[in-house]
Amino acid sequence: MTTPEELLCHARTETRAQIAALTADYEAVVEASRGSNADDEHDPEGQTIGFERAQLGAVLDQARTRLAELDAAVSRVADGSYGRCEVCGAPIGEARLQARPAARTCIDHA
């Protein structure tokens, strides 16, 4: 059985790796567009570059938010409130915590 600490450590490690990879991809797209004379507004290829940059930025923001949620979950482990629903106080099911380690609510209140 995996402890909450192990589960959160694993999820944080994966999320940090995802952030690093997405950051590198985003920087590569930005750098590639600097060397290009593509006009995002008038060039069909420019729209693709702009869309890709926006999409990577959004996924990167989501990963950063997930890392913050995981960090908050680590704090809940430390204060003893991890695994309890913030709404009703009932235990959060183990399957839910395995699937979503930073879960703050039970299934009924999700």
Side-chain angles (χ1 to χ4, degrees):
M1 180 162 163
T2 305
T3 67
E5 292 88 351
E6 292 169 334
L7 186 64
L8 290 167
C9 181
H10 178 72
R12 290 173 77 220
T13 299
E14 285 184 343
T15 303
R16 281 192 196 115
Q18 182 185 27
I19 288 170
L22 287 167
T23 299
D25 289 349
Y26 184 84
E27 290 171 355
V29 168
V30 169
E31 186 59 35
S33 67
R34 281 190 191 137
S36 168
N37 64 353
D39 178 358
D40 280 4
E41 188 174 332
H42 299 100
D43 183 358
E45 287 302 312
Q47 291 176 351
T48 302
I49 293 168
F51 175 77
E52 186 174 354
R53 187 174 49 234
Q55 186 177 31
L56 279 169
V59 175
L60 183 55
D61 287 345
Q62 289 173 345
R64 288 178 177 147
T65 298
R66 184 170 46 255
L67 184 59
E69 291 171 351
L70 291 165
D71 289 343
V74 169
S75 295
R76 289 194 302 277
V77 169
D79 73 18
S81 63
Y82 182 80
R84 291 227 155 295
C85 178
E86 290 181 354
V87 176
C88 67
I92 298 172
E94 188 170 332
R96 176 159 169 75
L97 290 173
Q98 288 290 324
R100 191 174 165 91
R104 299 176 318 161
T105 58
C106 64
I107 289 287
D108 291 338
H109 292 107

